[in-house]
Amino acid sequence: MTPSRTTLRAAIGTVSAAVLATTVLTGAPATAQAATPDAAPAATASAGSASVRFVDIKGEGGITLKANVFTPAGADGTRRYPVIVLPTSWAMPQVEYMAQAKKLADAGYVVVGYNSRGFWQSGGQIETAGPEDIADASKVIDWALANTPADPQKVGMGGVSYGAGISLLAAAFDKRIKVVAALSGWANLIDSIYSGRTQHLQAAAMLGGAGELTGRPSAELRTVLKDFLASNLSKEKDLIAWGKKRSPATYLDRINANGAAIMLGNAWGDSLFPPNQYADFFDKLKGPKRLEFRPGDHATAEALGLFGLPNDTWTDTKRWFDHYLKGTDNGIDKESPVLLKSRSTGAYEGYKSWKDVPSAHRRIALDGTPQINTNWDSGADGGLIFLSSMLDQFFRLPPMASIPLLPRSLAAVWQSERYETGQRVRGTTRLHTTITSTAESGTAIAYLYDVGPLGIGKLVTHAPYTFHGKTPGQPFGVDLELFSTAYDVPAGHKLAVVVDTVDPLYIEHNPSGARLTFSSPADDPSYVSVPVRD
């Protein structure tokens, strides 16, 4: 008889837990502990100086959340410790954070990592950081305060991806949360996977597929994904409302009022949650805050740390918790709150604020009136999720295109002069132009390339733009922010702006046979403004 998907999921989760637990615990012997009324320990082991228990925690609505709890060595009930709650990432099993949890417990924290509802062995359905997930976070805090030596005045939350989003949302609704470390997360869900009013196809398909494989998507999530991927414009307002409800930016006033110290970390090439939306959110935070951007894709900047390997993101995360939960005077509060790592050199740079990152702007005029045909890929594109940005992260090989060979019938191309000195692109590139379409709907994707002497362009950044309801033949203005980045253009190179209409990352909305014309009126000239650090 063929086993069911639920059975396979449980088996895989159990094996994953056993393997990772064995790795983290280095073969420590098991010891029995008594169960508490709300927790049924499945296994207990001593991990060097810290101990770990696998427990069941009652979540919102009475569902079971599978969890593991690390407790500092020598915890005998005579003192309390700061507590950190870590919800798992999308599709990840409950053992995701065990390596980091052990390190934190060895440093004097109680750490509770739990499998988000709807995934693996946890109960319920996938609610995509909905109200139930926020309530679960508070239930886990309740459990930790009742069943561990956790200090109710020193509660922190954190996580990667889905765990980051849930942590930020929980900080808006639970005043007990004093510190948050949100790594590779989102502040605005719509600006993440529907930026420029364009569906991020590969990102949405990956999230939907992973959810089906490792969890139980709710009926609402299935409907939302179906309408989203089908480009159902009649449901657009409902989709936006659904995303807004799940966006920490919606609850910014509550987050600021509660005053948690918030650290945000992300990668320049994050395929799911581009950096712009995090930077915008960071600027509006009023309490203690920190923003870190590094090369890579979604969750790759902190991934090695999940295996216990040295990792700058997790090092700073621990320093953040140490200072704002334990009161350690480690200087992180006196450092520049914005930390950027260049994709080109790997060097770190500190800034007082996000707006201080660029010190100047280079304008590239978008002259002429190029006209392009739609529905065909010109050869310029943003690559593939995860793969392309990881190649850039580890080998400095971003997506490339031969700029001279791009067919001008499919791509509009403009180039700067050759720069005599290197250009340190830092921040958010902005495009302003005028478009005339032969159809009422359409999609255009803008790219910025670093072009060497042989005409080979390396992708610096890009972003999609979609319009609906325009009058055919009537020009309209477009303002588009490309995804923020830190990239060094060598001396002797040019910058090229390319606009085409098809990219495998996105759903395009160009009717068959439609054409786009770009113009630069004398009273409203078109340009691209590139932020640089002189």
Side-chain angles (χ1 to χ4, degrees):
M1 182 174 69
T2 303
S4 67
R5 185 178 63 179
T6 301
T7 302
L8 288 173
R9 186 188 300 123
I12 294 171
T14 301
V15 172
S16 299
V19 172
L20 188 50
T22 300
T23 302
V24 173
L25 303 177
T26 61
T31 59
Q33 290 192 12
T36 62
D38 292 322
T44 306
S46 173
S49 57
S51 63
V52 60
R53 291 182 293 153
F54 290 89
V55 301
D56 294 343
I57 298 176
K58 186 180 294 185
E60 178 69 8
I63 69 158
T64 297
L65 298 171
K66 293 293 184 179
N68 53 76
V69 184
F70 280 84
T71 306
D76 56 8
T78 61
R79 60 168 293 194
R80 292 195 174 269
Y81 300 85
V83 58
I84 298 173
V85 174
L86 303 172
T88 55
S89 304
W90 187 272
M92 291 294 287
Q94 60 144 320
V95 294
E96 176 183 10
Y97 301 114
M98 288 190 72
Q100 288 301 323
K102 179 184 180 301
K103 289 184 177 182
L104 289 166
D106 286 343
Y109 293 93
V110 172
V111 186
V112 184
Y114 72 94
N115 225 138
S116 302
R117 70 163 50 220
F119 287 105
W120 295 96
Q121 296 98 337
S122 280
Q125 296 181 321
I126 303 172
E127 303 295 344
T128 323
E132 299 89 346
D133 293 289
I134 299 170
D136 284 345
S138 291
K139 294 282 189 181
V140 174
I141 294 172
D142 292 342
W143 181 91
L145 297 179
N147 296 281
T148 74
D151 187 337
Q153 303 303 316
K154 298 179 179 180
V155 178
M157 280 195 71
V160 176
S161 185
Y162 196 47
I166 290 174
S167 296
L168 284 174
L169 288 162
F173 291 90
D174 195 324
K175 294 182 179 180
R176 296 174 296 181
I177 300 170
K178 306 301 182 186
V179 186
V180 172
L183 312 177
S184 290
W186 74 92
N188 189 314
L189 195 56
I190 298 302
D191 282 353
S192 295
I193 62 173
Y194 195 48
S195 68
R197 209 179 175 186
T198 308
Q199 296 96 328
H200 292 215
L201 172 62
Q202 291 184 18
M206 189 283 296
L207 289 171
E212 291 286 352
L213 180 64
T214 64
R216 299 165 299 283
S218 66
E220 181 184 34
L221 174 57
R222 286 195 171 106
T223 298
V224 164
L225 281 174
K226 179 182 177 181
D227 290 337
F228 183 79
L229 294 173
S231 304
N232 188 348
L233 285 179
S234 68
K235 297 292 185 179
E236 185 180 40
K237 289 184 178 179
D238 295 336
L239 294 172
I240 290 173
W242 179 87
K244 185 176 181 181
K245 186 177 182 179
R246 290 159 170 79
S247 296
T250 301
Y251 312 103
L252 179 67
D253 289 344
R254 298 186 63 147
I255 292 172
N256 282 333
N258 289 346
I262 295 177
M263 173 180 163
L264 306 173
N266 206 353
W268 295 119
D270 195 313
S271 300
L272 306 186
F273 309 128
N276 302 46
Q277 45 92 34
Y278 245 18
D280 291 342
F281 182 70
F282 171 83
D283 273 347
K284 297 171 185 174
L285 290 172
K286 302 300 184 183
K289 58 184 180 179
R290 184 175 179 87
L291 177 67
E292 299 188 355
F293 285 141
R294 294 179 172 85
D297 206 302
H298 184 66
T300 65
E302 53 272 349
L304 293 179
L306 294 175
F307 296 95
L309 299 175
N311 180 268
D312 289 353
T313 303
W314 283 104
T315 296
D316 282 352
T317 295
K318 181 179 179 300
R319 293 175 65 223
W320 190 252
F321 282 127
D322 283 349
H323 181 76
Y324 287 102
L325 274 189
K326 296 174 74 175
T328 304
D329 186 12
N330 56 18
I332 197 168
D333 58 318
K334 300 179 181 67
E335 297 174 4
S336 297
V338 176
L339 183 69
L340 311 183
K341 188 175 184 180
S342 168
R343 291 166 49 199
S344 305
T345 66
Y348 281 108
E349 303 165 1
Y351 300 91
K352 293 181 180 180
S353 69
W354 176 250
K355 68 180 181 180
D356 290 327
V357 170
S359 58
H361 292 80
R362 303 281 184 263
R363 277 204 176 192
I364 302 172
L366 307 184
D367 297 326
T369 55
Q371 183 180 83
I372 61 175
N373 298 309
T374 63
N375 306 116
W376 295 90
D377 192 339
S378 71
D381 63 58
L384 299 172
I385 62 169
F386 302 135
L387 177 61
S388 296
S389 290
M390 288 178 68
L391 287 173
D392 183 42
Q393 176 184 4
F394 295 111
F395 304 105
R396 295 178 187 165
L397 291 174
M400 299 183 191
S402 175
I403 304 304
L405 296 181
L406 292 176
R408 277 15 181 204
S409 62
L410 303 179
V413 180
W414 300 267
Q415 296 191 65
S416 72
E417 75 280 4
R418 196 177 305 278
Y419 296 110
E420 297 298 327
T421 59
Q423 304 294 305
R424 299 167 63 203
V425 179
R426 298 290 185 275
T428 306
T429 296
R430 291 174 169 84
L431 177 148
H432 173 75
T433 191
T434 296
I435 295 179
T436 304
S437 175
T438 60
E440 63 90 22
S441 293
T443 296
I445 303 94
Y447 309 89
L448 183 68
Y449 284 98
D450 160 24
V451 185
L454 298 179
I456 301 299
K458 294 183 176 180
L459 187 63
V460 178
T461 182
H462 79 285
Y465 174 82
T466 292
F467 59 88
H468 297 287
K470 301 298 184 182
T471 302
Q474 182 173 317
F476 58 93
V478 172
D479 288 286
L480 178 65
E481 288 190 350
L482 278 60
F483 301 139
S484 304
T485 196
Y487 180 97
D488 293 6
V489 179
H493 285 212
K494 300 179 180 180
L495 284 171
V497 179
V498 176
V499 182
D500 71 1
T501 63
V502 174
D503 191 300
L505 290 172
Y506 309 109
I507 293 177
E508 54 92 8
H509 297 264
N510 298 296
S512 179
R515 296 183 303 279
L516 301 180
T517 301
F518 302 88
S519 57
S520 183
D523 60 346
D524 186 21
S526 297
Y527 62 87
V528 161
S529 177
V530 181
V532 296
R533 188 74 188 181
D534 285 333

